[in-house]
Amino acid sequence: MNQTGDQYAADQADLFISDLHLCASRPYITQAFLKFLKSTAKQARALYLLGDVFEYWAGDDDLASHQAVVDGLRGLADSGVAVYLMHGNRDFLIGHAFCAAAKLKLLPDPCVIEVHGVRTLICHGDTLCSDDLDYQAFRLKVRDKNWQTAFLQRSLTDRKEQIAAMRARSEQEKSHKASDIMDINPQTLNQHLRANDYPERVIHGHTHRPMQHNLSLDGHAITRWVLADWYEQGSYLTIDASGCHYRPIKQT
Ligand code: MN
């Protein structure tokens, strides 16, 4: 630690990250993440991975392709940090074998947790983007247990080919979508907030639009923190007794 302030804050902190999109074509992000797991994250009380840690996940039988990340996460858990994972829209096929190997706990999306005494709703964020009807239809299909069972019965090579085709199609469609369609729908967020009895804080990723939003809903003050992606610069949200802070990861 080269910044005393950070070390003190991290001592009692819960850390939140999402949208790393780890993949073989961007090895520097994996390197930065492994370093983060061995340094900053080790000082934390808990680390929450709120989805899209991986660019895609073809099935837990592909664990060997991600051995360094599995080892890094397990090393963090072994050092006494509680590690939690939520599925993203890219890595929703992560299953129990991965979680057992990495020694982390899979959380449902959404869920309410208590962070330093503050009720906090956490979710990946894709369910909030309800204006994107094509995506929501796709989500409904691929989150179906029968679809997943049938998909996972195919060979790993087949699955990777199909995922590559789906991603290419999605990238092409995205380029035609208006920017606000891919952001969250405020009414949908409000429904989630009411259904979860007005948590004081919401944390999500997915939109890659990091910002703190202060809302007021039915007389309740609620703060929404959007996590950043790791494409250009890795970062995390840290929460300790002093509140929430965005921090860049340390570069070598
Ligand atoms: Mn996402």
Side-chain angles (χ1 to χ4, degrees), residues 194-212:
R194 290 191 178 107
N196 288 282
D197 196 21
Y198 306 98
E200 289 170 66
R201 185 194 286 137
V202 185
I203 303 172
H204 71 83
H206 182 63
T207 60
H208 302 198
R209 299 174 194 208
M211 194 188 275
Q212 175 192 351

Side-chain angles (χ1 to χ4, degrees), residues 19 21 51-52 88-90 124 126 205-208:
D19 303 285
H21 294 270
D52 287 358
N89 54 300
R90 305 295 198 109
H124 175 59
D126 56 326
H206 182 63
T207 60
H208 302 198

Side-chain angles (χ1 to χ4, degrees), residues 111-115 118-122 199-203:
C111 70
V112 176
I113 56 172
E114 189 151 315
V115 187
V118 176
R119 284 184 73 242
T120 303
L121 178 74
I122 52 176
E200 289 170 66
R201 185 194 286 137
V202 185
I203 303 172

Side-chain angles (χ1 to χ4, degrees), residues 128-147:
L128 302 175
C129 298
S130 54
D131 292 333
D132 191 345
L133 300 177
D134 294 340
Y135 169 69
Q136 294 303 335
F138 171 79
R139 187 181 196 279
L140 208 58
K141 180 177 91 171
V142 301
R143 296 299 181 102
D144 178 77
K145 282 290 159 229
N146 293 327
W147 183 92

